[in-house]
Amino acid sequence: MGNMTEITLDDVTALEPGQILTDSIRQWRSDCQSGQFKIGSTTLRGSKIDLELIGAQVNEGEFFNYPLQKWLALLFVDPDGVLSSILFKTESLDNFEELRRQYRLKGETLLGKTIRAQMSQRSGTKKDPVTGEKTATKYHAVEFEITGDGKYAAAIATFRQLHYHPEFIQLTESKTVDKIGK
């Protein structure tokens, strides 16, 4: 028989303020067509989320049926205090990198801060592959801003010290690929 993990159903202790839930990783998605953040593929959570970073890295991959490209993977604590992950690409990735650059120029880290990720509508054009005709398109890109100090900063610092290493994010990515089927 394969590995078995018992799911604890009777431990329903509420989190204390500032405490984070780390027994599993919540998978967030940014649906830039609808302009909504989702938990998994169906639970809509609106056009913005506040997150507190644990780690970040850029990798190449073929996620969510997209061709091979660069993806920004963030490991973070979400507004509910849950250990979470999310992937961004293209313009959203660039927007995050610019926020990181701005704070680095000031000599500040993004750790310990609350970062708001917000959908922002864009317009573009798309060429029809058959007719060659250009049509207008609308999509969203994620923009990032610091909104204040993080309320989970102490718990995140402890988690980073005891559990976090760069491979941690790759483990969350491979779970995402397994779930959606390539």
Side-chain angles (χ1 to χ4, degrees), residues 25 27 57-61 63 71-74 85-87 167-180:
I25 298 173
Q27 302 287 331
Q57 63 184 223
V58 175
N59 291 310
E60 285 196 347
F63 303 116
W71 293 84
L72 168 67
L74 298 183
S85 68
I86 194 166
L87 295 171
E167 292 81 29
F168 202 98
I169 291 177
Q170 291 171 344
L171 294 174
T172 66
E173 286 179 4
S174 63
K175 285 184 184 174
T176 303
V177 172
D178 291 346
K179 282 184 183 170
I180 63 169

Side-chain angles (χ1 to χ4, degrees), residues 128-169:
D128 186 293
V130 178
T131 65
E133 193 176 323
K134 287 187 177 181
T135 55
T137 60
K138 291 194 183 307
Y139 67 96
H140 294 80
V142 180
E143 294 181 349
F144 300 90
E145 67 175 328
I146 303 294
T147 60
D149 291 333
K151 62 181 181 180
Y152 301 108
I156 288 171
T158 301
F159 182 86
R160 281 178 56 89
Q161 186 176 17
L162 298 176
H163 305 290
Y164 178 75
H165 52 87
E167 292 81 29
F168 202 98
I169 291 177

Side-chain angles (χ1 to χ4, degrees), residues 30 57-73 86-90 93 173:
S30 56
Q57 63 184 223
V58 175
N59 291 310
E60 285 196 347
E62 296 175 327
F63 303 116
F64 307 111
N65 298 319
Y66 282 97
L68 182 66
Q69 61 188 301
K70 285 186 179 176
W71 293 84
L72 168 67
I86 194 166
L87 295 171
F88 295 107
K89 63 183 179 65
T90 58
L93 182 156
E173 286 179 4

Side-chain angles (χ1 to χ4, degrees), residues 20 50-52 54 75-79 81-84 152 156:
I20 57 178
D50 288 344
L51 49 94
E52 295 182 41
I54 295 172
L75 187 65
F76 66 98
V77 176
D78 74 10
V82 177
L83 180 63
S84 300
Y152 301 108
I156 288 171

